[in-house]
């Protein structure tokens, strides 16, 4: 892994740790993770392969990213304080975030240190046509996780702002 890859992977993991401490939900809460994942997508997503079962691999990992992102957004506490919305990532949200972002980093470390032959055999057996399919799948998984988590937080914040009880918020008494 290059230094840039380490920095971006660690930055994505650290985003949620910033939210373990309660803070204001503002534009930065959305722009920082979107900026990081956009940089990653721009840097590593050259093409989206469509041959063989490449789209199945990509769709599967994007589905996993969406599930992790939605669950992470649901397990992020949102409450009002005066005119401000406050968010705090709970333990479940943090674990899901690290699991999703760490999976990509772990896969890359594994393939760089002896797992490439196993991935190659798996790819041949399952008609995955290139290493770019794996790159696209993991980058799009990360992008999907970020976008769905932020979208879930945004939608829940609108409900909290409107004064409607939302599961996982202080307003409904579940926290």
């Amino acid at each position: 892994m290059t230094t840039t890859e380490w920095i971006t992977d660690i930055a994505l993991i650290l985003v949620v740790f910033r939210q373990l401490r309660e803070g204001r939900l503002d534009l930065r809460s959305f722009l920082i993770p979107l900026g990081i994942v956009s940089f990653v997508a721009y840097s590593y997503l050259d093409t989206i392969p469509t041959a063989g079962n490449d789209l199945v691999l990509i769709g599967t990992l994007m589905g996993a990213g969406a599930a992790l992102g939605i669950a992470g957004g649901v397990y992020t506490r949102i409450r009002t304080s005066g005119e401000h919305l406050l968010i705090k990532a709970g333990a479940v949200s943090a674990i899901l975030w690290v699991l999703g972002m760490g999976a990509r980093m772990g896969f890359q470390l594994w393939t760089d240190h002896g797992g490439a032959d196993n991935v190659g055999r798996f790819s041949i057996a399952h008609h995955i046509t290139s290493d770019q399919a794996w790159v696209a799948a993991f980058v799009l998984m990360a992008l999907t996780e970020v976008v769905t988590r932020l979208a879930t937080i945004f939608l829940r914040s609108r409900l909290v702002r409107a004064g409607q009880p939302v599961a996982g918020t202080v307003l409904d008494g579940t926290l």
Side-chain angles (χ1 to χ4, degrees), residues 124-168:
I124 290 168
H126 293 90
H127 309 289
I128 297 167
T129 63
S130 69
D131 60 342
Q132 185 59 35
W134 288 98
V135 171
F138 276 106
V139 168
L140 291 171
M141 176 188 173
L143 179 67
T144 303
E145 182 175 359
V146 168
V147 170
T148 56
R149 182 177 183 273
L150 294 175
T152 302
I153 289 170
F154 177 79
L155 292 173
R156 291 182 62 234
S157 73
R158 297 301 101 192
L159 293 173
V160 169
R161 175 74 72 195
Q164 298 178 14
V166 178

Side-chain angles (χ1 to χ4, degrees), residues 16-17 20 67-77 88-100 145 149 175:
V16 81
F17 288 113
L20 287 174
L68 289 167
I70 291 168
V74 166
Y75 284 101
T76 298
R77 185 174 92 167
K88 180 178 180 182
V92 172
S93 182
I95 289 167
L96 292 171
W97 184 264
V98 171
L99 179 68
E145 182 175 359
R149 182 177 183 273
L175 291 178

Side-chain angles (χ1 to χ4, degrees), residues 19 21-23 25 29 76-78 85-89 153:
Q19 294 177 356
R21 200 181 76 232
E22 188 173 57
L25 179 62
S29 304
T76 298
R77 185 174 92 167
I78 303 171
L85 287 173
L86 302 176
I87 63 169
K88 180 178 180 182
I153 289 170

Side-chain angles (χ1 to χ4, degrees), residues 3 5 11 17 24 26 32 38 50 59 71 79-80 82 92-93 102 107 114 116-117 125 131 141 154 157 161 175:
T3 303
E5 290 168 337
F17 288 113
R24 281 181 51 179
D26 56 16
I32 291 172
S38 295
T50 59
R79 70 179 186 92
T80 58
V92 172
S93 182
F107 182 81
D117 289 341
D131 60 342
M141 176 188 173
F154 177 79
S157 73
R161 175 74 72 195
L175 291 178

